Each structure stands twice: as C-alpha cells, then as structure tokens.
Amino acid sequence: MDKRLQLAPSVLNADLSDLRKVVEVVEDVADLLHLDVMDGVFVPNLTFGPLVVKAFRRVTDLPLDVHLMISRPGLFIPRFLEAGADWISFHLEAVSSREEIRQLIDVIKNSGKKAGLVINPETPADGLLPFLDSVDFVLVMTVSPGFGGQNMVPEALDKVRAIKKAARARGRDLMVEVDGGINEDNLRMVAEAGTDVLVIGSAIYAAPKPREVAERLRGALDLLSTWKCRKET
Ligand code: DX5
Ligand code: ZN
C-alpha cells in the first residue's frame, strides 16, 4: 500500500465564486479535493449539493472526496455518484440500521467508487467494527461537524489508533482519514496517530497566502511519510 500521507484540502472556507481558482491553489500538491455537503438538519449549517460537486468535476481531475453531513444519505448517494464523486463518506450517526449501512456501502462500491463511514468526536469507534471489512476508508472527525476553523479535539485521535489496530487484527490495512482543526502546528501529532489522509480547510484557504501554506503542508507531509515508512519497515 502507498504510505504517502495524503492531503485533502477542504474547500469549505474557500471563495467559491471562482472554482477554478480554488482548485488551482492546491492542484499541484493535493491528492484529493474534500467537499463538505451539509443539509442544515444533520448539522446546523447548509452548504451545497450535487450541482456544485459536478461543477468541481468539470474544473479538476483531482479525485473528489465527498463528505456527506446529511440525515438521509441513501436518498442522495446516487446523485453524488452521477455528479462525479470518487470517494463518498456518510455518518454512522445518520443511519440507524446496520442493513442500510451495508446497502449504502455496496451502492458506492458497486459504482467503482470508494465508500467511507464517518464518526463524530464523541462517537465511540466500536460502532464501526461490523463494517471494517467492507468500507474502503473511515473518516474520524476531530471537530463537531458543521463548520470550518474550529479547534481540534485531540482526544479523538486515539480512535485512529484503535481503528487501525482493529482493522489490522482482521488482516486489513484500512485507510483512515482525519478531518477538523488540522494545521501546521498539529500535523505531526495527526500523522503519528496513524492517519493516512489529512483534511485541511481553513489552515489553507483562510491564510493570506493559501498556495504557500499548501506547499509547506505538502513538504511536511512528505517528510512525515518517510518517517512513517521507516517506522513500519
Ligand atoms: C467540518 C468539515 C471539515 C472542515 C475542515 O464539518 O467536515 O471538512 O471543512 O475545516 P478546518 O480544517 O478548518 O477544520
Ligand atoms: Zn469534511
């Protein structure tokens, strides 16, 4: 498996009046583009839907990582697949039946796309255990979902370790993504927890020189990747 730490800039705090510019800032250094979909019900904020995902699809070849913070993901997953999403994750807290969670994972995977389950900072990792064999990735929130620019809840990183360990016990090297409050100061701590994909929003897009920050983050992640490789071999 590729051990390079992946950078997924979140456009939540970017100026969406010019999508090409939003993409340009990170295109050379990002592995994925993280798009936060909020419905005003599951979280107290409202963002965008499949139309905007489709618009991003037209302006970039970066894989689109669509994070659904919506209360009925099953209703909309097909629409996001049609819009060009490559990775789709939905919240464990949003769907109560295990059967439905499995079905939604299958819908995404059967389209050849990556399926992820997300847990909020206060949700124990145990709820993910029945799905560790079927999901392509897990997304651990390190802030309460809904807004960019919040401070990280570092305790949530313990779940990254627990999930990686539980998956390893099942013979899987499961990809874990972390989202919320990541910046240049705490990057190392996030990587050391075993994270594979780092979502970074306002640290890039709210900075006076977003491109410079994105380039520095890429450099730092590459260094940490080398360290991670050495540790694991
Ligand atoms: C929060 C979103 C995050 C957010 C991250 O609900 O899921 O993706 O954009 O932004 P920062 O990096 O500012 O916490
Ligand atoms: Zn997100």
Side-chain angles (χ1 to χ4, degrees):
M1 191 186 174
D2 184 8
K3 289 292 171 198
R4 184 185 195 236
L5 290 165
Q6 298 190 51
L7 173 61
S10 158
V11 306
L12 187 62
N13 281 29
D15 174 1
L16 297 184
S17 65
D18 187 344
L19 300 192
R20 281 199 174 80
K21 220 163 151 184
V22 171
V23 165
E24 241 173 57
V25 166
V26 295
E27 204 151 36
D28 295 338
V29 294
D31 299 283
L32 298 163
L33 197 65
H34 185 86
L35 305 178
D36 289 304
V37 175
M38 305 183 189
D39 66 354
V41 178
F42 183 71
V43 287
N45 196 8
L46 201 56
T47 56
F48 47 76
L51 272 183
V52 172
V53 173
K54 199 170 172 183
F56 271 110
R57 181 70 297 156
R58 283 196 293 265
V59 299
T60 185
D61 292 328
L62 281 175
L64 301 179
D65 170 28
V66 176
H67 172 193
L68 298 179
M69 284 159 274
I70 63 179
S71 56
R72 293 195 292 168
L75 275 185
F76 294 100
I77 283 172
R79 302 263 305 275
F80 286 101
L81 287 167
E82 268 167 48
D86 298 286
W87 294 29
I88 298 188
S89 54
F90 58 95
H91 276 254
L92 184 70
E93 301 88 356
V95 188
S96 48
S97 114
R98 276 192 188 187
E99 186 65 13
E100 194 187 346
I101 292 176
R102 283 189 206 290
Q103 266 170 20
L104 298 182
I105 292 170
D106 283 347
V107 169
I108 300 168
K109 287 173 68 170
N110 291 340
S111 303
K113 305 301 179 185
K114 287 198 194 310
L117 267 175
V118 193
I119 50 169
N120 284 337
E122 70 280 5
T123 302
D126 302 7
L128 295 170
L129 295 179
F131 312 103
L132 289 188
D133 293 322
S134 44
V135 282
D136 292 301
F137 68 103
V138 161
L139 171 47
V140 173
M141 292 302 299
T142 40
V143 297
S144 284
F147 301 92
Q150 303 180 71
N151 288 333
M152 173 183 286
V153 179
E155 294 75 23
L157 292 173
D158 291 340
K159 290 187 288 183
V160 177
R161 292 187 185 89
I163 294 160
K164 295 287 287 187
K165 193 171 164 200
R168 261 199 308 274
R170 289 166 164 74
R172 284 203 72 189
D173 187 2
L174 181 65
M175 208 159 25
V176 177
E177 183 174 21
V178 170
D179 183 3
I182 306 178
N183 55 40
E184 292 183 84
D185 297 331
N186 58 27
L187 195 72
R188 188 187 175 104
M189 177 174 67
V190 178
E192 283 178 351
T195 307
D196 302 284
V197 184
L198 293 86
V199 177
I200 307 185
S202 53
I204 296 175
Y205 285 106
K209 295 187 175 167
R211 188 189 293 267
E212 284 180 19
V213 177
E215 282 168 2
R216 278 207 305 274
L217 285 166
R218 173 77 272 159
L221 288 181
D222 287 346
L223 274 178
L224 287 164
S225 302
T226 317
W227 162 83
K228 195 179 173 201
C229 270
R230 272 211 307 271
K231 199 173 149 237
E232 284 171 15
T233 48

